[in-house]
């Protein structure tokens, strides 16, 4: 018994002596072992110099052995948990096979109890897959820590996953989408949900057969970072023609080291398949998108271009912040908010839960909101900003302004006429004869509306004269002119989604710009892509040369109008 207790007592004695010695070593004037011995003896503690040295050595060795044991224990635990990898792969394969082979029970009528049981089972299986994939990420972090000897807590910018683990994540994500689709197919749809899906089909068709994400929502970043924008064109085109290429691009984005940080910060990463309607770009929020030839490809191209652009911009801004210190979570949220607003995904606040309904009534409420927020400088004054993020965002604002004015200057040298009066609907549009090109992603329209409301004046396209729209005591408005209230209503009406707009036109007998509304014309307008309409209209009114000139611009999503000021304007988005 004595022999078994001696090592323990000796170990405790060594530790006590070593701690006393190390405590005295911290005193001023103590620089070596002799000084430590002198201090100990001065305190009335009689311990030989050799005993003190041996105690310190034994204590250091014991600490080292304990550290090694902890690392070995962690390594053994990692190996044990890693054996679940095959179970994870089997679970993924089983669940995918169940969905693909039709093992999901079919509904007999609309028995809600049976539906709920099936949905619950699918959700449990998907939850298990997500939990085990999360375990693998934790294992990867532990292995990295053991291999590098860095046991500090990971924070900020995340590490890239290895190829094997990334493959599992890809399988998990595809499986999750298939599970979501199975759940969505089984869930009984209300009349309202079916109506929303059908009502949003015309907008998807009108926005298809082009690459309009570039000009419609990517223009702000295009002017500030043209090189970054250009890098997204090839993946966009490949995504249009192949769903496989779109998924490949999406998985490359998810494999980036900043992806989890970006998503956590609130960066908008929209989907072209699966998920709820609100997770898609506004132009394609209908479950019928994937079943309509041409529209599905347009949805993929539109979504993947904007998703890649947002992630590229987030990577760039995060790395730029990292030069002066790792970005905080608040700073990551600030740059994510700027990128969202710059790319047409406005901050809807309390209205966010009702976006699916709003998006059925209005053409693109989030994009319109984003334009107003960008003009108002919301990314600069939103809470959570720091001096670093404000400076970085202000630099992007300046680059956008410089890039946009450069394009206007080059167009002017090429012969374009440019209107600089904020009260005119032609403000900052490029005018080549009767052809008008809006390269400002609709920003000019917002500025014109705000200017008219503030000044109470508007400028006529036909006469070039400025007239009042604000009623004043004793001063009637010009004959035939509406007031500010009429201007507000026209602006709101111009933002209606296709189906509500057509219904309103038929009741009023004319559309928002005064063109006579007929049922055949309204029905045709609902299912003709904007790019086709622009090219045909330019060819009819200005000739094939003009049509060929504007074709690349309208295909890229820039607003094109061809009209004589004395003739009605064709309807536009």
């Amino acid at each position: 018994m004595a022999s078994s207790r001696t090592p323990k007592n000796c170990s405790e004695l060594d530790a006590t002596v070593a701690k006393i010695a190390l405590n005295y070593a911290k005193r001023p004037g103590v620089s070596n072992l002799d000084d430590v011995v002198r201090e100990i003896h001065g305190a009335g503690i009689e311990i030989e110099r050799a005993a003190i040295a041996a105690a310190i050595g034994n204590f250091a060795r014991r600490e080292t052995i304990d550290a090694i044991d902890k690392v070995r224990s962690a390594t053994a635990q990692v190996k044990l948990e890693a054996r679940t990898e095959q179970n994870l792969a089997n679970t993924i394969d089983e669940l995918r096979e169940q969905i693909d082979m039709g093992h999901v029970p079919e509904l007999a009528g609309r028995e809600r109890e049976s539906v709920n049981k099936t949905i619950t089972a699918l959700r449990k299986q998907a939850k298990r897959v997500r939990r085990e994939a999360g375990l693998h990420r934790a294992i990867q972090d532990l292995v990295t820590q053991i291999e590098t000897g860095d046991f500090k807590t990971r924070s900020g910018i995340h590490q890239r996953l290895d190829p094997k683990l990334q493959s599992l994540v890809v399988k998990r994500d595809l499986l999750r989408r298939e599970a979501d689709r199975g759940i969505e197919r089984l869930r009984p749809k209300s009349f309202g949900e079916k109506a929303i899906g059908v009502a949003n089909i015309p907008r998807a068709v009108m926005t298809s057969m082009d690459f309009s994400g570039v000009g419609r929502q990517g223009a702000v970043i295009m002017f500030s970072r043209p090189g970054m924008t250009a890098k997204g064109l090839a993946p966009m085109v490949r995504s249009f023609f192949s769903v496989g290429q779109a998924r490949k691009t999406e998985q490359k984005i998810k494999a980036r080291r900043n992806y989890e940080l970006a998503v956590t910060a609130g960066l908008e990463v929209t989907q072209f398949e699966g998920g709820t309607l609100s997770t898609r770009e506004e132009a394609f929020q209908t479950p019928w998108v994937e079943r309509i030839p041409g529209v599905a490809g347009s949805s993929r191209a539109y979504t993947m271009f904007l998703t890649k652009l947002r992630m590229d911009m987030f990577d760039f801004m995060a790395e730029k912040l990292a030069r002066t210190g790792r970005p905080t979570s608040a700073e990551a949220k600030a740059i994510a908010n700027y990128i969202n607003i710059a790319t047409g995904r406005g901050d809807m606040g309390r209205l966010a839960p009702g976006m699916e309904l709003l998006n059925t009534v209005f053409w693109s409420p989030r994009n319109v909101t984003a334009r107003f927020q960008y003009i108002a400088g919301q990314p600069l004054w939103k809470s959570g900003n720091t001096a670093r993020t404000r400076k970085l965002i202000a630099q992007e604002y300046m680059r956008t302004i410089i890039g946009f004015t450069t394009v206007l200057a080059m167009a002017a040298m090429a012969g374009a006429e440019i209107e600089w009066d904020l009260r005119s609907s032609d403000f900052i549009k490029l005018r080549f004869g009767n052809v008008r090109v809006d390269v400002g992603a609709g920003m000019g329209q917002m500025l014109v509306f705000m200017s008219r409301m503030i000044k109470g004046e508007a400028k006529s396209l036909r006469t070039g004269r400025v007239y009042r729209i604000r009623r004043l005591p004793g001063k009637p408005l010009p004959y035939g002119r509406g007031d500010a209230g009429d201007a507000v209503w026209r602006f709101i009406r111009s933002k209606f989604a296709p189906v509500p707009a057509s219904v309103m036109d038929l009741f009023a007998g004319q559309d928002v710009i005064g063109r006579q509304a007929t049922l055949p014309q309204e029905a045709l307008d609902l299912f003709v892509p904007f790019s086709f309409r622009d090219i045909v209209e330019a060819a009819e009114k200005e000739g094939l040369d003009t049509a060929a000139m504007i074709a690349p611009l309208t295909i890229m999503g820039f607003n094109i109008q061809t009209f004589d000021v004395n003739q009605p304007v064709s309807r536009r988005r």
Side-chain angles (χ1 to χ4, degrees):
M1 180 69 70
S3 61
S4 64
R5 290 173 56 90
T6 300
K8 179 179 179 182
N9 293 335
C10 290
S11 176
E12 292 175 353
L13 179 60
D14 286 342
T16 302
V17 173
K19 289 177 181 178
I20 292 173
L22 293 174
N23 184 52
Y24 277 106
K26 297 178 182 178
R27 293 188 175 185
V30 177
S31 59
N32 53 46
L33 183 60
D34 290 334
D35 293 338
V36 171
V37 173
R38 185 180 64 252
E39 290 290 330
I40 292 176
H41 288 173
I45 303 174
E46 294 297 330
I47 304 178
E48 295 182 359
R49 183 181 188 279
I52 294 174
I56 293 174
N58 291 336
F59 179 74
R61 282 193 293 274
R62 175 57 58 189
E63 290 291 306
T64 302
I65 292 171
D66 288 345
I68 293 173
D69 288 342
K70 288 180 181 179
V71 171
R72 286 176 176 171
S73 177
T75 303
Q77 182 65 22
V78 167
K79 291 180 178 179
L80 177 64
E81 293 175 345
R83 294 188 189 116
T84 64
E85 180 175 338
Q86 188 59 46
N87 293 335
L88 172 61
N90 292 338
T91 300
I92 291 174
D93 292 338
E94 286 176 10
L95 187 50
R96 174 179 289 176
E97 183 179 354
Q98 288 179 14
I99 295 173
D100 289 344
M101 299 301 294
H103 291 170
V104 178
E106 294 292 335
L107 285 178
R110 292 199 173 184
E111 299 177 357
R112 290 185 176 274
E113 183 177 355
S114 175
V115 170
N116 290 336
K117 287 181 179 179
T118 305
I119 291 175
T120 300
L122 284 171
R123 283 176 174 166
K124 285 182 177 179
Q125 288 175 306
K127 184 177 180 181
R128 180 184 174 189
V129 172
R130 290 194 295 269
R131 184 170 59 249
E132 294 189 2
L135 174 62
H136 275 271
R137 285 195 294 270
I139 292 172
Q140 180 63 28
D141 286 342
L142 283 172
V143 171
T144 301
Q145 288 179 1
I146 292 170
E147 290 176 349
T148 61
D150 181 8
F151 294 94
K152 295 179 181 179
T153 301
R154 300 294 185 218
S155 62
I157 298 178
H158 293 257
Q159 300 295 315
R160 185 187 299 272
L161 301 177
D162 67 20
K164 187 175 181 180
L165 184 58
Q166 182 58 34
S167 175
L168 289 174
V169 173
V170 171
K171 290 181 179 179
R172 179 204 64 186
D173 290 344
L174 291 176
L175 177 63
R176 185 181 296 171
R177 287 186 182 178
E178 292 175 6
D180 288 342
R181 286 179 181 176
I183 292 171
E184 190 65 18
R185 284 195 303 267
L186 290 171
R187 186 176 65 84
K189 305 296 190 302
S190 67
F191 175 79
E193 288 177 309
K194 293 179 180 179
I196 287 176
V198 173
N200 287 341
I201 291 176
R203 175 176 44 212
V205 174
M206 295 165 75
T207 318
S208 66
M209 306 307 294
D210 58 25
F211 303 107
S212 53
V214 178
R216 188 173 294 123
Q217 291 180 234
V220 171
I221 293 181
M222 179 187 69
F223 290 125
S224 66
R225 302 287 170 183
M228 182 184 296
T229 306
K231 290 180 181 178
L233 299 181
M236 175 183 67
V237 174
R238 289 195 293 266
S239 297
F240 179 89
F241 291 104
S242 169
V243 65
Q245 288 295 324
R247 289 172 178 169
K248 183 177 179 180
T249 300
E250 185 178 47
Q251 294 307 323
K252 285 182 178 179
I253 291 172
K254 290 184 176 181
R256 297 190 189 188
R257 64 178 181 178
N258 289 343
Y259 178 77
E260 291 184 22
L261 177 64
V263 173
T264 303
L267 187 73
E268 290 286 344
V269 180
T270 51
Q271 301 179 18
F272 60 86
E273 60 181 358
T276 62
L277 295 183
S278 60
T279 62
R280 302 189 180 196
E281 293 295 337
E282 289 180 304
F284 300 98
Q285 289 190 6
T286 171
W288 295 92
V289 163
E290 299 169 36
R291 307 180 189 182
I292 306 175
V295 177
S298 299
S299 173
R300 294 193 299 267
Y302 197 107
T303 303
M304 293 320 305
F305 170 79
L306 290 173
T307 299
K308 184 178 186 304
L309 183 64
R310 290 177 186 131
M311 198 63 228
D312 286 347
M313 194 65 183
F314 187 89
D315 283 341
F316 171 79
M317 297 182 78
E319 295 298 335
K320 200 166 184 180
L321 284 176
R323 296 174 188 173
T324 56
R326 188 180 297 276
T328 65
S329 60
E331 289 175 328
K333 290 179 181 179
I335 61 177
N337 176 69
Y338 164 73
I339 296 168
N340 290 340
I341 289 175
T343 56
R345 299 288 285 186
D347 182 359
M348 301 304 294
R350 295 181 180 179
L351 294 177
M355 285 310 301
E356 289 187 13
L357 179 59
L358 275 176
N359 197 56
T360 304
V361 177
F362 296 99
W363 181 274
S364 52
R366 292 196 70 166
N367 190 26
V368 172
T369 301
R371 294 297 171 246
F372 279 118
Q373 289 175 335
Y374 185 87
I375 292 170
Q378 186 263 22
L380 291 168
W381 50 257
K382 182 177 173 64
S383 62
N385 265 306
T386 63
R388 294 199 306 162
T389 56
R390 286 193 180 94
K391 179 180 178 181
L392 188 58
I393 293 170
Q395 290 173 348
E396 293 305 314
Y397 264 85
M398 289 304 301
R399 289 183 65 95
T400 297
I401 293 171
I402 292 171
F404 182 66
T405 53
T406 300
V407 170
L408 294 184
M410 293 174 64
M413 289 188 290
E417 297 180 50
I418 303 174
E419 173 64 74
W420 295 103
D421 193 325
L422 269 167
R423 296 166 294 186
S424 172
S425 58
D426 271 352
F427 176 64
I428 61 174
K429 290 180 181 178
L430 312 180
R431 191 169 73 249
F432 299 91
N434 290 327
V435 177
R436 288 162 170 78
V437 183
D438 181 4
V439 294
M443 208 76 73
Q445 186 183 21
M446 311 305 166
L447 290 169
V448 169
F449 174 74
M450 294 167 65
S451 174
R452 288 178 173 179
M453 293 300 102
I454 294 171
K455 294 183 177 181
E457 296 176 336
K459 184 176 181 180
S460 171
L461 287 181
R462 289 190 177 92
T463 65
R465 294 179 181 177
V466 175
Y467 59 91
R468 283 188 302 106
I469 60 173
R470 181 174 296 147
R471 296 183 182 274
L472 299 174
K475 294 183 178 181
L477 294 176
Y479 178 76
R481 299 292 186 183
D483 59 13
D486 295 323
V488 172
W489 171 240
R490 283 198 303 273
F491 179 82
I492 294 174
R493 187 176 167 187
S494 70
K495 300 305 175 187
F496 278 163
V499 172
S502 294
V503 171
M504 180 65 68
D505 293 346
L506 290 173
F507 276 118
Q510 61 181 17
D511 60 23
V512 69
I513 54 174
R515 186 182 64 172
Q516 183 179 3
T518 63
L519 184 58
Q521 185 62 48
E522 293 293 328
L524 179 63
D525 285 348
L526 289 176
F527 296 99
V528 177
F530 281 130
S531 55
F532 290 5
R533 191 183 311 173
D534 287 345
I535 295 172
V536 171
E537 191 172 64
E540 290 177 347
K541 296 181 178 180
E542 299 294 320
L544 292 177
D545 291 344
T546 300
M549 179 189 73
I550 64 100
L553 294 173
T554 188
I555 289 173
M556 287 296 176
F558 294 102
N559 191 333
I560 308 291
Q561 292 178 316
T562 305
F563 65 94
D564 188 325
V565 293
N566 296 312
Q567 299 293 328
V569 185
S570 64
R571 183 179 308 160
R572 191 56 172 147
R573 48 184 170 276

